[in-house]
Amino acid sequence: MRKIISAIGLLAFLTLSAQQNVHLKSPGQSPVIGDDGKVTFNLHAPGAKRVQLAGHLPGQPIEMTQQEGNWTASIEGLEPDIYDYWFEIDSVRTMDPSNPYVVRDVAYLSNIFVVTDNGYSPYLTNNVPHGKVEKVWYRSDKLGGDRRMSIYTPPGYDGKTGKYPVLYLLHGMGGDEEAWQDLGRTVQMLDNLIATGQAEPMIVVMPNGNALLQAAPGFSTMGLYTPEGNQSVDPDRSFEAAFPEIVAFVEDNYLVDPSKSKNAIAGLSMGGGHAWKISMMMPDKFDYVGMFSPAIWWDGRGVPVDMNHPEVVPMLERQFQSAPQFYWIAIGNEDFLYDLNAHYRNLLDSHGFPYEYYESEGGHTWVNWRHYLLKFLPRLFKTD
Amino acid sequence: MRKIISAIGLLAFLTLSAQQNVHLKSPGQSPVIGDDGKVTFNLHAPGAKRVQLAGHLPGQPIEMTQQEGNWTASIEGLEPDIYDYWFEIDSVRTMDPSNPYVVRDVAYLSNIFVVTDNGYSPYLTNNVPHGKVEKVWYRSDKLGGDRRMSIYTPPGYDGKTGKYPVLYLLHGMGGDEEAWQDLGRTVQMLDNLIATGQAEPMIVVMPNGNALLQAAPGFSTMGLYTPEGNQSVDPDRSFEAAFPEIVAFVEDNYLVDPSKSKNAIAGLSMGGGHAWKISMMMPDKFDYVGMFSPAIWWDGRGVPVDMNHPEVVPMLERQFQSAPQFYWIAIGNEDFLYDLNAHYRNLLDSHGFPYEYYESEGGHTWVNWRHYLLKFLPRLFKTD
C-alpha cells in the first residue's frame, strides 16, 4: 500500500528546511469577508463548465463567473449572522475546498461563515470566561439502552458548590445531541450572554430526541452509516415518555435546582413539539417553555389539535392551573408550520391560557432558531 | 432574502404527507463497503470530464470510470482499518457528497470510512460502557490566557470516589485538542479496550500543544480563520515549559493518582517530541513514555541530538536514575523522521538507557498513530 504523508507530516517535513516558522500553504482564501458585509467566494476550477453558489444566501443560487479557471462571486451588504453555503460544480454539490468549516444537517454538509458586527458575534468565541461541555451517556430503561447527551455547565461550575437552574434544549427531526452546538452555536451564545449578565449562569442539557437512535451519526453502534432522519412514533416508546429518565440523571449527577422556577424546556420543530408535550406531562416542572417553530400535533403529524381535544385540553388546564412564568411561541412568517401554530394560538386564546408570541421574518431555518434562542435565554430564571 | 427550508424543515414537510415514517432521500450510497473488504465509490457527476479517487488508499490516485454520468471505482481486499479519501473532480479537491463523515487535518477535509473485522472495529462505538468526554478551559499564566483541552474519563468515573491513572496524550504540528479524538478515535479505543480488560480504566488528557493557539480552529477568539499550522518556537513561552500548569489543573479538578507509576505521557510527531522533553523535564512524574514518530530535536528542527549533548544527556541521566517502566519509541520504516530516530536510539544505546522499540510499515500517518496507541494503551499502569 502506498502511504502518503499526512498534512501534519507534510508540515513537519517543510519545517526541516524552513526552520523557525512554517506555513502549510493554505488552499486559497474563500470566503473573503469585508468589513462592509461584502463577502467574496473564490474557487480554482479550470475544468468546470458551470459553478453555482448555493445555500442560505440572498439571491441564491448565484452563477459564479470565471477568468482563467478562477471562479468568483460576491454578495453585498450581508447582515451580521452565520450563513451556510456550498458550491454546485457542474451540478455536483461540493464543499468550498478553501473553507474547512462545515456543519452537517442530516446527511448533508454545508460550509459556514460568520459576518460579525464590527468584530463581535454572539455565535463566536470571545475573550470571556468559558463553560464546559460534556458528552455523557445515560441509561434509558424505557428506550432500552445507553444514550448520548451533551451538557453545558457554566463558567464557575465546579460540581461541588451551588445550585444551578437548568434548561433542557431539544433539537428537531433529523437532528441529534450535537445539533444545538454545531448548528445552533449554543455554547458560544451561553458564554457570551452569561459574561455580559444578559443570561443567568445555567446548565443546558441537550439530549438526543430520536427515540430509535442512541447517539448522533458516527457516535452510535450503527457506525458510519448514512443518516436519513427516521423517527419512531410508537407512543409507548417515545422520547417524551422517557424524558423523566433524563431529568433524573441530571438531578442525580449535577448540582441543579429541581424547583419549577429554575427549570426550563425549549426546542425547535419536532423538539418544540417535545417541549410542548413534556411541559404538559410534567405540569409542575417547567416555569419556562420555549417552542421554536414547533410541530404542535398530537393525533398525527400535520393534524392541528382540536379546539376541545379530550386529552390535550385537560392537560393544558392542569399545566395552567399554575401557569408557567413564560410560555413562548416563536415562528417565522414563512414557516410551513405557521398555520398549525396559528391554530394552536387560537386554542390557547379560546381557553384563556396565557402565552407570549414572537413572529419573525423567514421560515424553518437555523438562522431563526439561533435568533429565537438569543431572545429566549435572557428571559430565563429572572423571577426569583 | 430568500429562505430555503433546511433539511430538517424538509423532513418535517415530507412527514406531513408521509405520516408515520419519513426518509429524507439520501444523496446516494458511497462508499459501499462489502464484507470481503471490497469498497466501491460512487459519484453522480454528468458534467465532469475526469474524476479521481485520492487519499490514503492503495494505488491512489485512482481513475474513476463513468457510464451516463455515474462515476465509480472499486478497491479490493482492504484490511480492517480507517481510511480517508476525497474526490478530484476535474482537478478540484472535493468531498464525496454521499458521505457525511469528514475529518479535518490542518485546513484540509477528508472523508473517512471504516472497514470492520466481521463487524468489529476498535475505532467504532460498540455496545460497551462508555466514558465521558469533557471540553474544558484552563488558565495558563505562562502562555497568557485561557486554553481549551479535551479530557476523557472512563466508565464509572463519578468525580467522587476512586483515584485514577492518567495519560497525557499530545498531538502533532497542525493538530489541536480535537485531533486525537477526530482523527485518532481515542474515545472509542479507550471504551473498547477498557470493556475487554485490555486497558486499565484511566483518564486521558488531550491539551492543545500549540503554544500560540488557545484552542482548535473555530473554538478560539480567532474565529473561523483558515488554519496554517504555525508554531511558536520561543523556548520561554513553550508548551513544554507551561506543561506543569496542565498537570496542576488535572490534579486539582479530577480524581487522579499523582504518583509516577500512575502517570503516562505520549504523543505523535511534534507531540512525541513534547513527550520526550516533558518526561525529561519532570523526571519523577512519568513511568510510561510513548513517542510515536517523534520529532526528537533540541537545538533546531531537523537537527539530531548530539551523542553527548550537554543539556540533553544530563537530563536523560537524571530521568533514567529511576528508569521509566516503559519508554517506547514507535515509527514506520518509511517515516521521514526515521533517521533522526535511529540516531536517537544510538544515543540511548550508547548511554545504556533502556527503552523498547517498535517499527511498523509505512510512514508518518494517522493509520500508524492509531495502531501505536492500540499497542501502547494495554501496556499502561499494569505494574502495581
Side-chain angles (χ1 to χ4, degrees), chain B residues 31-84:
Chain B
V32 178
I33 302 166
D35 291 335
D36 51 356
K38 178 178 176 179
V39 179
T40 302
F41 303 83
N42 298 307
L43 173 72
H44 183 66
K49 290 190 286 287
R50 184 187 189 187
V51 182
Q52 290 176 299
L53 169 65
H56 287 79
L57 293 169
Q60 75 87 47
I62 295 164
E63 297 293 330
M64 295 179 74
T65 58
Q66 70 138 332
Q67 207 160 25
E68 295 175 3
N70 294 309
W71 297 79
T72 190
S74 288
I75 302 177
E76 308 265 355
L78 286 179
E79 294 291 312
D81 213 324
I82 299 183
Y83 297 87
D84 66 77

Short mmCIF file of all heavy atoms in Angstrom, two decimals, chain B residues 31-84:
data_model
loop_
_atom_site.label_atom_id
_atom_site.label_comp_id
_atom_site.label_asym_id
_atom_site.label_seq_id
_atom_site.Cartn_x
_atom_site.Cartn_y
_atom_site.Cartn_z
N PRO B 31 -19.05 5.51 0.33
CA PRO B 31 -18.68 4.25 -0.29
C PRO B 31 -19.59 3.11 0.15
O PRO B 31 -20.24 3.20 1.18
CB PRO B 31 -17.26 4.03 0.24
CG PRO B 31 -17.24 4.71 1.57
CD PRO B 31 -18.17 5.89 1.44
N VAL B 32 -19.63 2.08 -0.66
CA VAL B 32 -20.33 0.84 -0.31
C VAL B 32 -19.25 -0.17 0.10
O VAL B 32 -18.35 -0.47 -0.68
CB VAL B 32 -21.15 0.31 -1.49
CG1 VAL B 32 -21.83 -1.00 -1.12
CG2 VAL B 32 -22.17 1.35 -1.94
N ILE B 33 -19.37 -0.66 1.32
CA ILE B 33 -18.31 -1.49 1.88
C ILE B 33 -18.79 -2.93 1.96
O ILE B 33 -19.77 -3.22 2.65
CB ILE B 33 -17.90 -0.98 3.28
CG1 ILE B 33 -17.44 0.49 3.15
CG2 ILE B 33 -16.81 -1.85 3.90
CD1 ILE B 33 -17.32 1.21 4.46
N GLY B 34 -18.13 -3.81 1.23
CA GLY B 34 -18.52 -5.22 1.23
C GLY B 34 -17.91 -5.98 2.40
O GLY B 34 -16.96 -5.52 3.04
N ASP B 35 -18.46 -7.15 2.66
CA ASP B 35 -17.94 -7.98 3.75
C ASP B 35 -16.52 -8.46 3.47
O ASP B 35 -15.78 -8.82 4.37
CB ASP B 35 -18.84 -9.21 3.96
CG ASP B 35 -20.19 -8.80 4.52
OD1 ASP B 35 -20.27 -7.74 5.16
OD2 ASP B 35 -21.16 -9.55 4.30
N ASP B 36 -16.17 -8.49 2.20
CA ASP B 36 -14.88 -9.04 1.79
C ASP B 36 -13.79 -7.97 1.69
O ASP B 36 -12.72 -8.23 1.13
CB ASP B 36 -15.04 -9.71 0.42
CG ASP B 36 -15.73 -8.78 -0.58
OD1 ASP B 36 -16.13 -7.66 -0.17
OD2 ASP B 36 -15.87 -9.16 -1.75
N GLY B 37 -14.06 -6.77 2.22
CA GLY B 37 -13.05 -5.71 2.12
C GLY B 37 -13.03 -5.03 0.78
O GLY B 37 -12.12 -4.26 0.49
N LYS B 38 -14.05 -5.30 -0.04
CA LYS B 38 -14.17 -4.58 -1.30
C LYS B 38 -14.97 -3.30 -1.05
O LYS B 38 -16.05 -3.34 -0.46
CB LYS B 38 -14.86 -5.43 -2.36
CG LYS B 38 -15.07 -4.71 -3.69
CD LYS B 38 -15.71 -5.61 -4.75
CE LYS B 38 -15.99 -4.81 -6.01
NZ LYS B 38 -16.59 -5.67 -7.07
N VAL B 39 -14.42 -2.18 -1.49
CA VAL B 39 -15.07 -0.90 -1.25
C VAL B 39 -15.30 -0.21 -2.59
O VAL B 39 -14.38 -0.11 -3.41
CB VAL B 39 -14.21 -0.01 -0.33
CG1 VAL B 39 -14.88 1.34 -0.09
CG2 VAL B 39 -13.98 -0.71 1.01
N THR B 40 -16.55 0.22 -2.81
CA THR B 40 -16.92 0.85 -4.08
C THR B 40 -17.35 2.29 -3.83
O THR B 40 -18.14 2.56 -2.92
CB THR B 40 -18.06 0.06 -4.75
OG1 THR B 40 -17.63 -1.29 -4.94
CG2 THR B 40 -18.43 0.68 -6.10
N PHE B 41 -16.81 3.18 -4.64
CA PHE B 41 -17.10 4.61 -4.54
C PHE B 41 -17.98 5.02 -5.72
O PHE B 41 -17.72 4.60 -6.85
CB PHE B 41 -15.79 5.40 -4.55
CG PHE B 41 -14.84 4.99 -3.47
CD1 PHE B 41 -14.01 3.88 -3.63
CD2 PHE B 41 -14.79 5.69 -2.26
CE1 PHE B 41 -13.15 3.49 -2.61
CE2 PHE B 41 -13.93 5.30 -1.25
CZ PHE B 41 -13.11 4.19 -1.43
N ASN B 42 -18.98 5.83 -5.44
CA ASN B 42 -19.93 6.25 -6.47
C ASN B 42 -20.12 7.76 -6.44
O ASN B 42 -20.18 8.36 -5.37
CB ASN B 42 -21.29 5.58 -6.23
CG ASN B 42 -21.21 4.07 -6.31
OD1 ASN B 42 -20.71 3.53 -7.28
ND2 ASN B 42 -21.68 3.39 -5.26
N LEU B 43 -20.24 8.33 -7.61
CA LEU B 43 -20.46 9.76 -7.72
C LEU B 43 -21.27 10.05 -8.97
O LEU B 43 -20.92 9.57 -10.06
CB LEU B 43 -19.12 10.50 -7.80
CG LEU B 43 -19.20 12.01 -8.09
CD1 LEU B 43 -19.70 12.75 -6.87
CD2 LEU B 43 -17.84 12.55 -8.53
N HIS B 44 -22.33 10.83 -8.81
CA HIS B 44 -23.10 11.27 -9.97
C HIS B 44 -22.58 12.65 -10.38
O HIS B 44 -22.78 13.63 -9.66
CB HIS B 44 -24.59 11.33 -9.62
CG HIS B 44 -25.44 11.71 -10.79
ND1 HIS B 44 -25.58 10.91 -11.90
CD2 HIS B 44 -26.18 12.82 -11.03
CE1 HIS B 44 -26.38 11.50 -12.77
NE2 HIS B 44 -26.75 12.66 -12.27
N ALA B 45 -21.88 12.70 -11.50
CA ALA B 45 -21.28 13.96 -11.96
C ALA B 45 -21.30 13.97 -13.48
O ALA B 45 -20.27 13.78 -14.13
CB ALA B 45 -19.86 14.11 -11.42
N PRO B 46 -22.48 14.20 -14.06
CA PRO B 46 -22.61 14.10 -15.53
C PRO B 46 -21.79 15.16 -16.26
O PRO B 46 -21.45 14.97 -17.43
CB PRO B 46 -24.11 14.29 -15.76
CG PRO B 46 -24.66 14.91 -14.52
CD PRO B 46 -23.77 14.49 -13.40
N GLY B 47 -21.44 16.27 -15.59
CA GLY B 47 -20.70 17.31 -16.29
C GLY B 47 -19.19 17.17 -16.20
O GLY B 47 -18.46 17.95 -16.81
N ALA B 48 -18.73 16.20 -15.43
CA ALA B 48 -17.28 16.11 -15.20
C ALA B 48 -16.58 15.42 -16.36
O ALA B 48 -17.12 14.53 -17.00
CB ALA B 48 -17.02 15.35 -13.90
N LYS B 49 -15.34 15.85 -16.60
CA LYS B 49 -14.54 15.23 -17.65
C LYS B 49 -13.61 14.17 -17.08
O LYS B 49 -13.22 13.22 -17.76
CB LYS B 49 -13.72 16.29 -18.37
CG LYS B 49 -14.58 17.23 -19.24
CD LYS B 49 -13.75 18.14 -20.12
CE LYS B 49 -13.07 19.25 -19.36
NZ LYS B 49 -13.97 20.32 -18.90
N ARG B 50 -13.21 14.35 -15.82
CA ARG B 50 -12.27 13.40 -15.21
C ARG B 50 -12.50 13.41 -13.71
O ARG B 50 -12.59 14.49 -13.09
CB ARG B 50 -10.83 13.83 -15.51
CG ARG B 50 -9.80 12.86 -14.99
CD ARG B 50 -8.39 13.44 -15.18
NE ARG B 50 -7.38 12.42 -14.89
CZ ARG B 50 -6.08 12.66 -14.84
NH1 ARG B 50 -5.61 13.87 -15.05
NH2 ARG B 50 -5.24 11.68 -14.57
N VAL B 51 -12.61 12.24 -13.12
CA VAL B 51 -12.75 12.14 -11.67
C VAL B 51 -11.72 11.15 -11.15
O VAL B 51 -11.59 10.04 -11.68
CB VAL B 51 -14.18 11.69 -11.24
CG1 VAL B 51 -14.28 11.65 -9.72
CG2 VAL B 51 -15.24 12.62 -11.82
N GLN B 52 -10.99 11.57 -10.13
CA GLN B 52 -10.01 10.69 -9.49
C GLN B 52 -10.39 10.49 -8.03
O GLN B 52 -10.93 11.38 -7.37
CB GLN B 52 -8.61 11.30 -9.57
CG GLN B 52 -8.02 11.31 -10.96
CD GLN B 52 -6.68 12.02 -10.96
OE1 GLN B 52 -6.59 13.20 -10.62
NE2 GLN B 52 -5.64 11.29 -11.34
N LEU B 53 -10.06 9.31 -7.55
CA LEU B 53 -10.21 8.96 -6.14
C LEU B 53 -8.82 9.08 -5.51
O LEU B 53 -7.87 8.45 -5.99
CB LEU B 53 -10.73 7.54 -6.04
CG LEU B 53 -10.73 6.85 -4.68
CD1 LEU B 53 -11.68 7.55 -3.72
CD2 LEU B 53 -11.14 5.38 -4.84
N ALA B 54 -8.71 9.91 -4.46
CA ALA B 54 -7.40 10.14 -3.85
C ALA B 54 -7.50 10.00 -2.34
O ALA B 54 -8.59 10.01 -1.78
CB ALA B 54 -6.89 11.52 -4.23
N GLY B 55 -6.37 9.87 -1.67
CA GLY B 55 -6.35 9.76 -0.22
C GLY B 55 -5.38 8.68 0.22
O GLY B 55 -4.47 8.30 -0.51
N HIS B 56 -5.56 8.18 1.45
CA HIS B 56 -4.72 7.11 1.96
C HIS B 56 -5.29 5.76 1.52
O HIS B 56 -5.88 5.02 2.30
CB HIS B 56 -4.64 7.17 3.48
CG HIS B 56 -3.79 8.30 3.98
ND1 HIS B 56 -4.24 9.59 4.03
CD2 HIS B 56 -2.51 8.33 4.41
CE1 HIS B 56 -3.28 10.37 4.50
NE2 HIS B 56 -2.22 9.64 4.72
N LEU B 57 -5.13 5.47 0.24
CA LEU B 57 -5.69 4.25 -0.34
C LEU B 57 -4.63 3.63 -1.24
O LEU B 57 -3.86 4.36 -1.89
CB LEU B 57 -6.92 4.60 -1.20
CG LEU B 57 -8.13 5.14 -0.44
CD1 LEU B 57 -9.17 5.68 -1.42
CD2 LEU B 57 -8.74 4.05 0.44
N PRO B 58 -4.59 2.31 -1.32
CA PRO B 58 -3.60 1.67 -2.17
C PRO B 58 -3.82 2.03 -3.63
O PRO B 58 -4.96 2.04 -4.10
CB PRO B 58 -3.83 0.17 -1.91
CG PRO B 58 -5.20 0.07 -1.35
CD PRO B 58 -5.46 1.35 -0.63
N GLY B 59 -2.74 2.36 -4.30
CA GLY B 59 -2.81 2.64 -5.72
C GLY B 59 -3.37 4.00 -6.08
O GLY B 59 -3.61 4.29 -7.25
N GLN B 60 -3.60 4.83 -5.08
CA GLN B 60 -4.17 6.15 -5.37
C GLN B 60 -3.14 7.04 -6.05
O GLN B 60 -1.96 6.84 -5.83
CB GLN B 60 -4.69 6.78 -4.08
CG GLN B 60 -3.61 7.32 -3.17
CD GLN B 60 -3.21 8.74 -3.48
OE1 GLN B 60 -4.05 9.58 -3.67
NE2 GLN B 60 -1.89 9.01 -3.57
N PRO B 61 -3.50 8.04 -6.83
CA PRO B 61 -4.88 8.34 -7.23
C PRO B 61 -5.40 7.32 -8.23
O PRO B 61 -4.66 6.83 -9.07
CB PRO B 61 -4.76 9.73 -7.86
CG PRO B 61 -3.36 9.80 -8.37
CD PRO B 61 -2.53 8.98 -7.43
N ILE B 62 -6.69 7.02 -8.10
CA ILE B 62 -7.33 6.00 -8.93
C ILE B 62 -8.30 6.70 -9.88
O ILE B 62 -9.12 7.51 -9.45
CB ILE B 62 -8.08 5.00 -8.02
CG1 ILE B 62 -7.07 4.24 -7.15
CG2 ILE B 62 -8.94 4.05 -8.85
CD1 ILE B 62 -7.71 3.51 -5.97
N GLU B 63 -8.18 6.40 -11.17
CA GLU B 63 -9.11 6.98 -12.14
C GLU B 63 -10.48 6.32 -11.96
O GLU B 63 -10.60 5.09 -11.96
CB GLU B 63 -8.62 6.73 -13.57
CG GLU B 63 -7.29 7.39 -13.91
CD GLU B 63 -7.38 8.92 -13.93
OE1 GLU B 63 -8.46 9.47 -14.25
OE2 GLU B 63 -6.34 9.55 -13.60
N MET B 64 -11.51 7.13 -11.83
CA MET B 64 -12.87 6.59 -11.78
C MET B 64 -13.41 6.55 -13.21
O MET B 64 -13.04 7.35 -14.05
CB MET B 64 -13.74 7.45 -10.86
CG MET B 64 -13.27 7.38 -9.41
SD MET B 64 -14.21 8.39 -8.23
CE MET B 64 -15.75 7.46 -8.07
N THR B 65 -14.26 5.57 -13.46
CA THR B 65 -14.84 5.43 -14.80
C THR B 65 -16.32 5.77 -14.74
O THR B 65 -16.95 5.66 -13.69
CB THR B 65 -14.67 4.00 -15.33
OG1 THR B 65 -15.31 3.10 -14.41
CG2 THR B 65 -13.20 3.63 -15.44
N GLN B 66 -16.87 6.18 -15.88
CA GLN B 66 -18.26 6.62 -15.86
C GLN B 66 -19.12 5.95 -16.90
O GLN B 66 -18.65 5.49 -17.94
CB GLN B 66 -18.32 8.13 -16.06
CG GLN B 66 -17.96 8.57 -17.45
CD GLN B 66 -18.91 9.65 -17.94
OE1 GLN B 66 -20.06 9.70 -17.51
NE2 GLN B 66 -18.43 10.46 -18.85
N GLN B 67 -20.38 5.88 -16.59
CA GLN B 67 -21.41 5.48 -17.52
C GLN B 67 -22.60 6.41 -17.27
O GLN B 67 -23.10 6.48 -16.14
CB GLN B 67 -21.81 4.02 -17.24
CG GLN B 67 -22.35 3.31 -18.45
CD GLN B 67 -22.26 1.79 -18.28
OE1 GLN B 67 -22.25 1.28 -17.18
NE2 GLN B 67 -22.22 1.07 -19.39
N GLU B 68 -22.95 7.15 -18.26
CA GLU B 68 -24.08 8.09 -18.16
C GLU B 68 -23.95 9.02 -16.95
O GLU B 68 -24.92 9.27 -16.23
CB GLU B 68 -25.41 7.33 -18.11
CG GLU B 68 -25.68 6.58 -19.42
CD GLU B 68 -26.94 5.72 -19.35
OE1 GLU B 68 -27.62 5.75 -18.32
OE2 GLU B 68 -27.22 5.03 -20.35
N GLY B 69 -22.75 9.49 -16.73
CA GLY B 69 -22.55 10.46 -15.65
C GLY B 69 -22.38 9.86 -14.28
O GLY B 69 -22.17 10.59 -13.31
N ASN B 70 -22.51 8.54 -14.16
CA ASN B 70 -22.30 7.88 -12.87
C ASN B 70 -20.87 7.33 -12.83
O ASN B 70 -20.56 6.37 -13.53
CB ASN B 70 -23.31 6.75 -12.66
CG ASN B 70 -24.71 7.30 -12.54
OD1 ASN B 70 -24.97 8.21 -11.75
ND2 ASN B 70 -25.62 6.78 -13.36
N TRP B 71 -20.05 7.95 -12.02
CA TRP B 71 -18.64 7.58 -11.90
C TRP B 71 -18.48 6.55 -10.80
O TRP B 71 -19.13 6.62 -9.75
CB TRP B 71 -17.80 8.81 -11.58
CG TRP B 71 -17.83 9.84 -12.65
CD1 TRP B 71 -18.82 10.75 -12.88
CD2 TRP B 71 -16.83 10.07 -13.65
NE1 TRP B 71 -18.50 11.53 -13.96
CE2 TRP B 71 -17.27 11.15 -14.45
CE3 TRP B 71 -15.59 9.48 -13.95
CZ2 TRP B 71 -16.54 11.64 -15.52
CZ3 TRP B 71 -14.85 9.97 -15.01
CH2 TRP B 71 -15.33 11.04 -15.79
N THR B 72 -17.57 5.61 -11.00
CA THR B 72 -17.37 4.58 -9.99
C THR B 72 -15.93 4.09 -10.00
O THR B 72 -15.21 4.20 -11.00
CB THR B 72 -18.36 3.40 -10.20
OG1 THR B 72 -18.29 2.52 -9.08
CG2 THR B 72 -18.01 2.62 -11.47
N ALA B 73 -15.52 3.58 -8.84
CA ALA B 73 -14.22 2.91 -8.71
C ALA B 73 -14.33 1.96 -7.54
O ALA B 73 -15.10 2.19 -6.60
CB ALA B 73 -13.10 3.92 -8.46
N SER B 74 -13.60 0.86 -7.61
CA SER B 74 -13.61 -0.11 -6.51
C SER B 74 -12.18 -0.44 -6.10
O SER B 74 -11.27 -0.41 -6.92
CB SER B 74 -14.32 -1.41 -6.94
OG SER B 74 -15.71 -1.19 -7.05
N ILE B 75 -12.04 -0.79 -4.85
CA ILE B 75 -10.76 -1.27 -4.33
C ILE B 75 -11.05 -2.60 -3.64
O ILE B 75 -12.02 -2.73 -2.90
CB ILE B 75 -10.15 -0.28 -3.33
CG1 ILE B 75 -9.95 1.08 -4.01
CG2 ILE B 75 -8.83 -0.80 -2.80
CD1 ILE B 75 -9.41 2.13 -3.06
N GLU B 76 -10.20 -3.57 -3.90
CA GLU B 76 -10.41 -4.92 -3.33
C GLU B 76 -9.49 -5.14 -2.14
O GLU B 76 -8.39 -4.59 -2.07
CB GLU B 76 -10.06 -5.99 -4.37
CG GLU B 76 -10.73 -5.85 -5.71
CD GLU B 76 -12.00 -6.68 -5.80
OE1 GLU B 76 -12.29 -7.43 -4.84
OE2 GLU B 76 -12.71 -6.56 -6.82
N GLY B 77 -9.96 -5.97 -1.23
CA GLY B 77 -9.10 -6.53 -0.20
C GLY B 77 -8.53 -5.56 0.81
O GLY B 77 -7.42 -5.76 1.31
N LEU B 78 -9.29 -4.52 1.15
CA LEU B 78 -8.78 -3.60 2.17
C LEU B 78 -8.82 -4.26 3.55
O LEU B 78 -9.81 -4.88 3.93
CB LEU B 78 -9.61 -2.31 2.19
CG LEU B 78 -9.38 -1.33 1.04
CD1 LEU B 78 -10.30 -0.12 1.18
CD2 LEU B 78 -7.92 -0.88 0.99
N GLU B 79 -7.73 -4.11 4.27
CA GLU B 79 -7.66 -4.62 5.64
C GLU B 79 -8.59 -3.81 6.55
O GLU B 79 -8.84 -2.62 6.29
CB GLU B 79 -6.23 -4.45 6.18
CG GLU B 79 -5.20 -5.29 5.47
CD GLU B 79 -5.39 -6.76 5.77
OE1 GLU B 79 -5.55 -7.10 6.97
OE2 GLU B 79 -5.42 -7.56 4.82
N PRO B 80 -9.08 -4.43 7.64
CA PRO B 80 -9.86 -3.65 8.60
C PRO B 80 -9.05 -2.45 9.10
O PRO B 80 -7.93 -2.61 9.58
CB PRO B 80 -10.12 -4.65 9.73
CG PRO B 80 -10.07 -5.99 9.06
CD PRO B 80 -9.02 -5.85 8.00
N ASP B 81 -9.60 -1.28 8.96
CA ASP B 81 -8.92 -0.05 9.40
C ASP B 81 -9.82 1.14 9.06
O ASP B 81 -10.89 0.97 8.49
CB ASP B 81 -7.56 0.11 8.70
CG ASP B 81 -6.53 0.81 9.61
OD1 ASP B 81 -6.93 1.71 10.38
OD2 ASP B 81 -5.36 0.42 9.56
N ILE B 82 -9.34 2.34 9.39
CA ILE B 82 -9.97 3.57 8.93
C ILE B 82 -9.20 4.08 7.73
O ILE B 82 -7.97 4.06 7.73
CB ILE B 82 -9.96 4.65 10.03
CG1 ILE B 82 -10.73 4.18 11.26
CG2 ILE B 82 -10.55 5.96 9.50
CD1 ILE B 82 -10.80 5.22 12.35
N TYR B 83 -9.92 4.52 6.73
CA TYR B 83 -9.29 5.07 5.52
C TYR B 83 -9.86 6.46 5.26
O TYR B 83 -11.02 6.72 5.55
CB TYR B 83 -9.58 4.16 4.32
CG TYR B 83 -9.00 2.78 4.49
CD1 TYR B 83 -9.71 1.78 5.15
CD2 TYR B 83 -7.72 2.49 4.03
CE1 TYR B 83 -9.17 0.51 5.33
CE2 TYR B 83 -7.17 1.22 4.20
CZ TYR B 83 -7.90 0.24 4.85
OH TYR B 83 -7.36 -1.00 5.03
N ASP B 84 -9.02 7.33 4.73
CA ASP B 84 -9.53 8.63 4.33
C ASP B 84 -9.29 8.86 2.85
O ASP B 84 -8.38 8.29 2.25
CB ASP B 84 -8.95 9.76 5.19
CG ASP B 84 -7.47 9.95 5.01
OD1 ASP B 84 -7.08 10.53 3.99
OD2 ASP B 84 -6.71 9.51 5.89
#
